[in-house]
Amino acid sequence: MKHFYLVVAVLSSMLTVAQEAKKILFIGNSYTHTHDIPELTKQIATAAGDQMTYSSHTPGGSTLQQHNNNTQVSNLIAQGNWNYVVLQEQSQLPAFPDADVNNQVYPAAASLSNKIKQHNPCAKVTFYMTWGRKNGDPTNCVNWPPLCTYLSMDNLLQQRYTTMANANQGILAPVAAVWRYLIQNNPEIELYSPDESHPSLAGSLAAAFTFYTIFFEKSPTNSTYNNGVPTTTISAIKNAVQQVVFNHLDTWNIYNYNPRADFSFAQNNNDFIFNNLSQNATTYLWDFGDGTTATEQNPSHIYTTNGQFTVKLSSSKCGITVSTEKNIQITNLSIQKIQDIASFLYPNPAHNHIEFSTDKTVDTVVIIDANGRHITAKYSVLQTNYIVDLSQLASGQYHLQIKSTNETQSLPFIKI
């Protein structure tokens, strides 16, 4: 009779991200073009020791709907290999009544997001959350009161951009939230151009430092860039971005769609079946702690000795790898001797075949490779001798799993 005593402990969770120069595509209008926010972002990154390249399409007044129907935009998206693609809607539309937003904004955002992901599976669709106008939108205020003040217009813009990001598994560049922090805490800094709509140089820098922090997931204080702006202004902008963005990256969906590693397992005699509970991952690497590994999503594995084993699952997607580990302690694991089910297993190591002998009725014979894959064995029977064909196996370590009524035996062997 086999006895299993398992003690499981979660050891750690680790995240690694492949380092690379960031490649950004900006799709927007004059709120992106003013003071060349993409170039400002690049210069901020360079001053921090980071690398960034970009392309942009930002004709004044453009809407997402227009971008969605624009061949030049489609061609830029199709170039591929973008790390981030920034989408910025026309400055007023997202604050319009629900019917207008549902008809003109959300469908275009979804269509562009789908195009981006089709050509750039690893790109992060980034919604550029723009701000309310300094004194609201007096032209449209008469018919839609929420546009009458900065605060109510800004509330709607933040709400609608958040909806777009959540609906399309995108992230947010919360420039509007940074602006609001500065307006409340540093009112001496003029963020608006004289038209009370477009950004001043300070307003554009606030946007650019926000983009840098989102793209590189680093503190804005890493950069020494100032562009001739007074030191006090730059310090206030960096502080706002630090407080609003860097200190709360999870608020802006930065980590929502990264891979997450987790697993559980079940035991059947001495055969352990691992259940992969990871999210947002595309590839997996299992280390069973006994010198063997597997790349299957849900492998099985056989431990043949007592002891404590650290099982590590690394789940990856787009250069991001998350690992989690669990300790499995197995004591008093009574592995049946070969003669319980087979009087011999030879030769071992083996070349083209291996044999065993048993007087019990064998139901199935399976070969298990080092990755945990089960291979149906081809074998012949001569009285009590079973001859298993190994000719199609690559050299390596395997287990021969022999199942008979109410009993399973797993025997290690080497193919040479």
Side-chain angles (χ1 to χ4, degrees):
M1 180 178 180
K2 301 179 178 64
H3 300 280
F4 298 83
Y5 299 90
L6 307 180
V7 178
V8 181
V10 178
L11 295 183
S12 63
S13 180
M14 298 164 285
L15 171 68
T16 59
V17 182
Q19 297 298 314
E20 60 179 338
K22 305 297 183 182
K23 186 179 178 184
I24 318 296
L25 174 59
F26 291 86
I27 300 172
N29 49 56
S30 57
Y31 271 34
T32 302
H33 180 76
T34 300
H35 299 293
D36 199 349
I37 288 174
E39 180 62 25
L40 287 177
T41 307
K42 177 182 177 180
Q43 293 180 19
I44 288 168
T46 300
D50 295 306
Q51 298 180 22
M52 173 185 147
T53 59
Y54 70 88
S55 292
S56 60
H57 184 82
T58 57
S62 294
T63 67
L64 292 182
Q65 198 170 60
Q66 290 172 329
H67 288 310
N68 188 46
N69 296 323
N70 187 292
T71 302
Q72 184 178 351
V73 170
S74 296
N75 289 339
L76 281 170
I77 291 172
Q79 286 180 10
N81 296 320
W82 301 110
N83 298 111
Y84 296 82
V85 179
V86 179
L87 298 180
Q88 182 234 318
E89 179 59 280
Q90 190 272 346
S91 61
Q92 298 153 291
L93 269 180
F96 279 7
D98 288 343
D100 295 321
V101 177
N102 290 334
N103 183 51
Q104 300 179 52
V105 178
Y106 292 157
S111 181
L112 282 166
S113 295
N114 290 335
K115 287 181 183 179
I116 292 164
K117 293 171 183 177
Q118 176 185 354
H119 294 285
N120 307 264
C122 292
K124 292 187 176 182
V125 181
T126 307
F127 288 88
Y128 175 5
M129 181 191 284
T130 58
W131 51 86
R133 296 188 174 184
K134 190 172 185 177
N135 291 296
D137 181 1
T139 302
N140 294 291
C141 161
V142 176
N143 297 317
W144 182 235
L147 292 177
C148 292
T149 67
Y150 155 75
L151 191 59
S152 58
M153 182 178 184
D154 196 66
N155 283 340
L156 276 177
L157 288 167
Q158 293 199 36
Q159 174 190 328
R160 266 59 181 278
Y161 272 105
T162 300
T163 298
M164 280 188 273
N166 292 341
N168 295 287
Q169 293 193 331
I171 66 174
L172 284 157
V175 179
V178 172
W179 272 45
R180 185 179 294 191
Y181 183 96
L182 288 166
I183 289 170
Q184 292 173 344
N185 295 280
N186 301 93
E188 73 281 2
I189 299 176
E190 180 55 72
L191 299 174
Y192 293 91
S193 293
D195 66 0
E196 299 186 346
S197 173
H198 289 82
S200 66
L201 177 56
S204 293
L205 283 169
F209 272 104
T210 298
F211 281 122
Y212 167 76
T213 301
I214 291 295
F215 296 156
F216 291 91
E217 300 177 22
K218 294 181 180 180
S219 170
T221 60
N222 287 357
S223 180
T224 59
Y225 183 75
N226 64 23
N227 199 30
V229 173
T231 301
T232 54
T233 299
I234 287 292
S235 295
I237 290 172
K238 288 182 180 179
N239 178 64
V241 176
Q242 178 82 18
Q243 298 301 323
V244 174
V245 185
F246 183 71
N247 289 350
H248 302 281
L249 286 173
D250 54 343
T251 299
W252 312 114
N253 294 357
I254 302 304
Y255 305 122
N256 284 14
Y257 312 111
N258 284 350
R260 300 179 184 181
D262 192 15
F263 66 91
S264 63
F265 62 87
Q267 155 262 319
N268 178 21
N269 292 327
N270 58 336
D271 192 350
F272 289 79
I273 301 172
F274 291 90
N275 181 28
N276 195 330
L277 303 175
S278 300
Q279 299 178 26
N280 306 320
T282 55
T283 60
Y284 310 97
L285 176 62
W286 295 84
D287 184 335
F288 298 112
D290 61 354
T292 61
T293 61
T295 56
E296 289 179 300
Q297 184 172 350
N298 298 290
S300 62
H301 185 67
I302 297 168
Y303 290 98
T304 59
T305 60
N306 294 321
Q308 178 171 288
F309 302 93
T310 299
V311 180
K312 178 179 178 181
L313 170 62
S314 298
S315 301
S316 303
K317 179 183 178 181
C318 298
I320 300 175
T321 298
V322 178
S323 299
T324 190
E325 298 178 351
K326 295 182 181 181
N327 268 348
I328 297 177
Q329 175 127 8
I330 305 173
T331 59
N332 295 329
L333 175 57
S334 176
I335 301 211
Q336 298 293 323
K337 299 298 182 181
I338 291 177
Q339 61 265 26
D340 287 345
I341 194 168
S343 60
F344 50 83
L345 181 63
Y346 72 94
N348 192 4
H351 285 282
N352 292 321
H353 74 277
I354 199 164
E355 298 182 26
F356 66 89
S357 179
T358 180
D359 57 2
K360 299 183 180 180
T361 301
V362 173
D363 295 325
T364 60
V365 179
V366 176
I367 297 171
I368 304 173
D369 69 11
N371 288 321
R373 288 188 291 264
H374 285 55
I375 305 163
T376 300
K378 296 180 180 179
Y379 63 90
S380 58
V381 183
L382 181 61
Q383 296 181 345
T384 61
N385 279 4
Y386 288 73
I387 304 171
V388 183
D389 182 10
L390 307 180
S391 61
Q392 301 303 311
L393 294 182
S395 298
Q397 297 183 359
Y398 297 87
H399 281 80
L400 189 68
Q401 186 183 79
I402 306 164
K403 293 184 178 181
S404 59
T405 305
N406 299 322
E407 196 168 34
T408 298
Q409 173 71 348
S410 180
L411 308 171
F413 70 91
I414 298 174
K415 163 68 187 296
I416 58 176

